[in-house]
Amino acid sequence: MKNKSLVSISDYSKEEILSILESAAGFEAQPNRKILDGKVIATLFFEPSTRTRLSFETAVIRLGGSVIGFSDAATSSSSKGETLNDTIRMVSSYADAIVMRHPLEGAARYAAEVSPVPIINAGDGANQHPSQTLLDLYSILKTQGTLEHLNICLVGDLKYGRTVHSLIMAMSHFHPTFKFIAPDELKMPDEYKIFCRKHDIPFTEATELHDNFNDADILYMTRVQRERFQDLMEYERVKNVYTLKNEMLESSKPHLKILHPLPRVNEIAPDVDGNEKAYYFRQAQNGLYIRQAIINNVLNN
Ligand code: CP
């Protein structure tokens, strides 16, 4: 790559991941620092977002930089037929780095190849969401005190959920044991199971949620990704497959933490929100500090 882009979590070594987490802790302690004075960051969101876009933009503003961009592709010239290549060429002549979410898998890699400024992948189709993965790792480290030898239960849409795909790759540095809980239609794709076998990561698969996470340190719930289904009848069949309720947590480990990349739909009942094991809103807040660390890293390396 020509620049210090973050396209896939596999672009970062274990040492770089740990360095980002350490840097994020510094930004959490002191989030308002004017280290981006005079810098412009573009946020190009070809798909909807609340957390990722707003936390990236907040990260830039709190560091003294400025933000340009769009949150709806319909308001950009891509709606007139402009190619991604031309959009990136233009925006890279205005901005020092580009944060991009795009529905096509591989769009971020393509953008990084044609851009002279760093590209930060804010999600490309069902492929990767590396800044989410780094904030997930930060949340796991903060709540468990370690990333090593944890039992992690991934639940829901494991087929289309890009956050679980990135998380498996990142955790491969830290000797995890995984349990994949999904209906048959949304099972973990073979390529990630092959990845686990290649990296000696034990995993089991299940279709039932109840009583299947009692040995977990992390219960990672995910939304069924309606926007990725070709057949909406199939979505209707699986959309409410799992709902975590407070009563289901009684036999779970005392230090269990429930993560969810959000937004949630029906996968976590509101009565779980008050449980001390619920961590998903603080997880989203951690995204601000991680994104400050990522921007600082891509601009200063
Ligand atoms: N977790 C996540 O990517 O949330 P948004 O879609 O709201 O950005």
Side-chain angles (χ1 to χ4, degrees), residues 112-153:
E113 280 166 10
V114 300
S115 174
V117 302
I119 299 288
I120 301 171
N121 182 7
D124 62 326
N127 186 32
Q128 284 271 322
H129 193 351
S131 68
Q132 177 71 45
T133 302
L134 288 163
L135 79 86
D136 292 342
L137 294 181
Y138 188 55
S139 300
I140 293 169
L141 181 61
K142 275 176 71 177
T143 60
Q144 306 297 319
T146 181
L147 292 171
E148 290 285 347
H149 299 289
L150 295 172
N151 282 336
I152 300 180
C153 201

Side-chain angles (χ1 to χ4, degrees), residues 48-53 101 129 132 162-163 261-263 291:
S49 167
T50 295
R51 276 147 294 276
T52 310
R53 184 174 67 82
R101 172 171 289 186
H129 193 351
Q132 177 71 45
R162 56 193 172 200
T163 66
L262 302 178
R291 288 171 175 135

Side-chain angles (χ1 to χ4, degrees), residues 156-157 182-183 186 207 209 224 237-243:
D157 186 349
L186 299 176
T207 53
L209 177 58
V224 177
R237 273 198 301 278
V238 294
K239 68 178 184 183
N240 291 324
V241 63
Y242 306 122
T243 301

Side-chain angles (χ1 to χ4, degrees), residues 98-245:
I98 298 172
V99 178
M100 186 179 83
R101 172 171 289 186
H102 199 282
L104 288 182
E105 295 178 25
R109 180 69 66 198
Y110 175 76
E113 280 166 10
V114 300
S115 174
V117 302
I119 299 288
I120 301 171
N121 182 7
D124 62 326
N127 186 32
Q128 284 271 322
H129 193 351
S131 68
Q132 177 71 45
T133 302
L134 288 163
L135 79 86
D136 292 342
L137 294 181
Y138 188 55
S139 300
I140 293 169
L141 181 61
K142 275 176 71 177
T143 60
Q144 306 297 319
T146 181
L147 292 171
E148 290 285 347
H149 299 289
L150 295 172
N151 282 336
I152 300 180
C153 201
L154 304 177
V155 181
D157 186 349
L158 306 187
K159 179 178 179 186
Y160 297 116
R162 56 193 172 200
T163 66
V164 292
H165 301 159
S166 296
L167 187 61
I168 287 172
M169 295 170 84
M171 285 304 299
S172 67
H173 298 297
F174 305 105
H175 312 97
T177 299
F178 284 116
K179 187 176 283 182
F180 303 143
I181 302 181
D184 287 337
E185 297 90 331
L186 299 176
K187 280 171 67 171
M188 184 62 73
D190 283 344
E191 66 182 282
Y192 296 101
K193 291 190 255 181
I194 292 167
F195 177 92
C196 286
R197 290 191 190 102
K198 195 172 157 195
H199 290 82
D200 291 325
I201 299 171
F203 69 88
T204 53
E205 293 184 274
T207 53
E208 289 298 316
L209 177 58
H210 222 290
D211 285 336
N212 242 330
F213 56 86
N214 291 344
D215 60 349
D217 303 300
I218 294 292
L219 179 59
Y220 193 102
M221 303 294 295
T222 64
R223 173 179 67 91
V224 177
Q225 307 272 302
R226 181 180 185 279
E227 62 274 32
R228 311 272 174 239
F229 281 74
Q230 306 284 337
D231 175 1
L232 282 183
M233 292 295 287
E234 190 184 335
Y235 169 74
E236 290 297 321
R237 273 198 301 278
V238 294
K239 68 178 184 183
N240 291 324
V241 63
Y242 306 122
T243 301
L244 182 68
K245 300 192 174 88

